[in-house]
């Protein structure tokens, strides 16, 4: 299926949805400290979204055989890669890193972004992982120009991760974003040119395409397992992970990040 190209008016509305997501992230970032629960962060995000008249996309989301997701944010700590369920029992500890993902629907369009934050003082290796994951996102955004292909974006992410000595999550990808949270194309974090189960459709980038890029970097091996809650994805070897995401638009002038304050 071809990606849906957005008009200038649609991009403006996506920018508004993206701004609300950014505000929610900023409010949570300020609240992060040892002793705070992931449920408290979830409440902060839901309050911001509702204040701006936006709806959380994850709340009640139930693709495939997953149970409905019960919260506004996903909160994934340390070895949890993505999709952690906020809870009153998950208390942030000094030295943790916490990845938070939020998406909202506002006036018919979606914004989707994720950040990973240190809790208090973290180890040097955790800081390095956060920096490398942000750098991978920046590299993938930079590769998001008219004339390039989705495979160029994927390779930019993988190259940056590899240069820093990290692996990437192979089974999880970024995705087109528009009036739905998930549209074409898939935006992988690596590229496999051989035929395999990881064979994504490549396509040329055109002005008006909008997608979320979301590198997920892993300090150890890339093998992942899903927890018994039906959502939380963790590294099999228990190694640290980080996740950053922006929704961007391809324009003739270059990539436009939609999920900024
Ligand atoms: Mg997201």
């Amino acid at each position: 299926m071809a990606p849906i190209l957005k008009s200038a008016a649609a991009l403006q509305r996506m920018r508004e949805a993206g701004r609300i997501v950014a505000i929610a992230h900023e409010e949570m970032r300020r609240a992060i400290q040892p002793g705070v629960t992931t449920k408290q962060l979830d409440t902060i995000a839901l309050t911001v979204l509702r204040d701006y008249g936006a709806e959380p996309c994850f709340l009640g989301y139930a693709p495939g055989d997953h149970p409905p997701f019960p919260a506004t944010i996903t909160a994934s700590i340390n070895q949890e890669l993505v999709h952690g369920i906020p809870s009153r029992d998950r208390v942030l500890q000094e030295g943790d890193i916490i990845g938070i993902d939020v998406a909202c629907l506002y006036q018919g369009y979606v914004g989707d972004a994720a950040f990973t934050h240190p809790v208090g003082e973290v180890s040097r290796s955790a800081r390095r992982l956060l920096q490398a994951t942000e750098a991978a996102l920046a590299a993938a955004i930079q590769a998001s120009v008219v004339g390039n292909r989705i495979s160029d974006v994927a390779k930019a992410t993988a190259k940056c991760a590899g240069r820093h000595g990290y692996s990437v999550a192979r089974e999880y990808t970024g995705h087109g974003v528009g009036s739905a949270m998930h549209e074409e194309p898939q935006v992988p974090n690596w590229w496999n040119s051989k035929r395999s189960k990881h064979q994504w459709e490549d396509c040329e980038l055109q002005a008006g395409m909008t997608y979320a890029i979301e590198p997920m970097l892993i300090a150890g091996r890339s093998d992942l397992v899903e927890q018994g809650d039906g959502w939380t994805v963790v590294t099999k070897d228990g190694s640290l992970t980080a996740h950053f995401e922006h929704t961007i638009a391809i324009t003739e002038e270059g990539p436009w990040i939609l999920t900024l304050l």
Side-chain angles (χ1 to χ4, degrees):
M1 236 168 51
I4 301 166
L5 302 181
K6 276 68 170 191
S7 66
L11 290 185
Q12 281 302 336
R13 287 163 73 178
M14 288 188 67
R15 176 72 185 96
E16 289 308 308
R19 194 191 311 274
I20 295 166
V21 161
I23 294 167
H25 273 296
E26 179 59 17
E27 294 281 315
M28 287 188 285
R29 189 187 64 75
R30 289 178 198 210
I32 287 172
Q33 57 173 314
V36 167
T37 69
T38 52
K39 175 68 189 172
Q40 285 173 292
L41 298 176
D42 188 62
T43 302
I44 289 169
L46 181 60
T47 303
V48 169
L49 266 49
R50 291 265 153 90
D51 282 352
Y52 282 88
E55 285 303 314
C57 294
F58 299 159
L59 190 63
Y61 184 59
D65 52 5
H66 292 274
F69 194 80
T72 296
I73 66 167
T74 69
S76 311
I77 299 172
N78 298 335
Q79 79 283 0
E80 296 169 352
L81 179 82
V82 284
H83 305 166
I85 298 175
S87 160
R88 285 184 183 83
D89 302 327
R90 287 308 295 278
V91 182
L92 298 182
Q93 313 282 336
E94 178 93 19
D96 283 344
I97 56 172
I98 176 171
I100 301 176
D101 199 340
V102 191
C104 83
L105 179 70
Y106 178 69
Q107 296 192 350
Y109 286 95
V110 171
D112 187 359
F115 297 90
T116 302
H117 302 286
V119 180
E121 274 300 308
V122 302
S123 66
R124 204 164 143 227
S125 55
R127 267 203 315 276
R128 271 194 66 232
L129 176 66
L130 297 182
Q131 284 162 2
T133 311
E134 262 198 292
L137 175 56
I141 292 172
Q142 215 169 45
S144 295
V145 292
V146 173
N148 259 355
R149 304 178 71 83
I150 281 294
S151 53
D152 295 311
V153 179
K155 286 172 191 169
T157 304
K159 194 174 160 197
C160 183
R163 199 171 56 233
H164 288 89
Y166 298 118
S167 51
V168 296
R170 299 185 159 217
E171 293 91 340
Y172 295 88
T173 69
H175 48 89
V177 177
S179 45
M181 181 163 59
H182 294 118
E183 290 184 351
E184 293 297 325
Q186 283 186 288
V187 186
N189 293 312
W190 65 299
W191 196 257
N192 186 358
S193 43
K194 291 189 211 107
R195 285 234 158 259
S196 75
K197 63 173 180 164
H198 300 301
Q199 179 74 44
W200 296 282
E201 216 173 298
D202 204 0
C203 71
E204 206 172 297
L205 305 184
Q206 299 173 63
M209 277 175 69
T210 48
Y211 53 74
I213 305 173
E214 41 184 326
M216 302 160 210
L217 268 57
I218 302 170
R221 294 177 56 87
S222 61
D223 306 83
L224 302 170
V225 274
E226 196 179 89
Q227 303 284 73
D229 61 17
W231 279 103
T232 314
V233 177
V234 301
T235 51
K236 218 169 184 175
D237 64 6
S239 58
L240 270 190
T241 69
H243 175 209
F244 284 82
E245 174 185 27
H246 272 306
T247 302
I248 68 142
I250 306 290
T251 79
E252 294 293 350
E253 288 81 45
W256 183 18
I257 302 176
L258 301 172
T259 33
L260 292 176
L261 282 176

